[in-house]
Amino acid sequence: MAVLSPGGPAPLPSGPAPRRVLLVSRDEELDSLLAGRRIAAHLGELERTGTEGGPGGDGPPPDVALVCDDDAATRRLLALGVPVVRLSSGHRGTVTPLAEGAEGALHRVHRPAWLPGPWPATPDGTRTTGVLAPARMTRGRRRSGTLLLLSLWGVPAGDADAFTSGALRQLAAEAVRRTQRCEVVCDMRVESVRDTLEGLDGVRVRRAADTDVDALHADAELLLATPVLGAVALAQARRAPLVFLPPLSDTQRDLADRVARAAPVPLAADPGNPSLWDPEKPDPWSALDGITDDLRGAQRVARTLRQLSLAPL
């Protein structure tokens, strides 16, 4: 039943319909999730939609799309005539982040300006974003506990199992002993990680896709993280201490090595090392003060999306 206003029918909405943006990212990859969320925080008046739409879909296609790492979604959207910004969100080392069959997209690569090369050649028109920083740059005044970010994307199953059943349990137990609690956030194999850490008081395991990682970090005293760009950007933007978990893949090792050449981020090789748990440790990001850097990568990508929604190429 239609609801009428006292003076007759409700007036029809005036003005143009809001422009719609589709956001696509991998729920199973921490970098992809964090990149999409940080850019979404700057989209302003654009209306988010959860459907690609178009022929055979539900409703009209969006006006523009941000696709983090998903080549198949990029191709489908381009075929519908949707302008696409295709972002390679994570560190790929010496591998060129190509999106096969997606030449019509605008290609962006998440890469801090200070991160040492060399880098592979990229397709014409590809641009680096700088740092995809969180929208909220400050941290809570009364911080407590440890946030442990674990990314198992691209890690062989055997290596993941060995780490979670061994070093991870030791690190979580030590984090509770030193800081009273430990929030473990992981992108994959969540139930396996939860089972492994069962029985440790003060430890909570969360799925990254269901968790506001940046908000948790704002209230945490310490950050332990897999060597991934999303964690590096988070700590650098907030000038917060960071300890790398032992790398579990060649890509993670490559990123940890490159970061170590620019900033003194320690590695959690020995959970019993008291220096790892010192919240007052020297700021590792001060080493980058004289190096060109840009913390506005998320804003820049969001601005490109807004421009494309109004004037597609």
Side-chain angles (χ1 to χ4, degrees), residues 42 131-140 217-218 233-240 294-296 299:
H42 298 282
V131 176
L132 298 179
R136 175 186 171 190
M137 303 287 254
T138 58
R139 301 170 71 200
H217 176 255
L234 184 60
Q236 184 202 347
R238 291 176 172 167
R239 304 296 292 245
D294 186 358
L295 294 175
R296 298 185 299 277
Q299 292 97 312

Side-chain angles (χ1 to χ4, degrees), residues 102-192:
E103 291 77 11
L106 295 183
H107 293 269
R108 300 291 182 264
V109 177
H110 183 195
R111 184 183 299 160
W114 54 264
L115 195 63
W119 303 107
T122 54
D124 291 343
T126 300
R127 297 181 183 177
T128 57
T129 63
V131 176
L132 298 179
R136 175 186 171 190
M137 303 287 254
T138 58
R139 301 170 71 200
R141 298 183 65 181
R142 296 185 178 180
R143 300 183 294 273
S144 65
T146 297
L147 172 60
L148 193 155
L149 294 181
L150 175 62
S151 178
L152 297 176
W153 174 264
V155 176
D159 294 340
D161 288 339
F163 176 73
T164 55
S165 62
L168 178 63
R169 188 174 175 89
Q170 297 174 34
L171 284 164
E174 190 68 14
V176 172
R177 190 175 80 82
R178 301 274 185 174
T179 69
Q180 285 68 62
R181 63 185 179 87
C182 181
E183 298 277 358
V184 178
V185 179
C186 46
D187 50 12
M188 298 181 64
R189 304 171 65 88
V190 180
E191 291 307 318
S192 176

Side-chain angles (χ1 to χ4, degrees), residues 34 38 133-136 211-219 230 234 238:
L34 294 180
R38 290 172 186 171
R136 175 186 171 190
T211 304
D212 188 338
V213 170
D214 294 350
L216 275 184
H217 176 255
D219 294 325
L234 184 60
R238 291 176 172 167

Side-chain angles (χ1 to χ4, degrees), residues 4 14 24 33 37 40 51 72 77 86 105 107 125 139 150 169 188 191-192 220 226-227 252 259 261 264 272 291 310:
L4 302 180
S14 60
V24 180
L33 274 171
R37 290 173 179 174
T51 176
L77 288 159
R86 194 277 188 188
H107 293 269
R139 301 170 71 200
L150 175 62
R169 188 174 175 89
M188 298 181 64
E191 291 307 318
S192 176
T226 297
Q252 292 180 11
V259 172
R261 285 154 52 191
I291 301 176
L310 296 171

Side-chain angles (χ1 to χ4, degrees), residues 88-97 109-123 126-131 227-229 232 250-262 291-293:
S88 180
S89 66
H91 179 67
R92 301 292 182 256
T94 57
V95 178
T96 301
V109 177
H110 183 195
R111 184 183 299 160
W114 54 264
L115 195 63
W119 303 107
T122 54
T126 300
R127 297 181 183 177
T128 57
T129 63
V131 176
V228 292
L229 284 175
V232 172
D250 290 342
T251 300
Q252 292 180 11
R253 280 185 283 273
D254 184 81
L255 178 59
D257 289 344
R258 290 177 191 252
V259 172
R261 285 154 52 191
I291 301 176
T292 300
D293 186 39

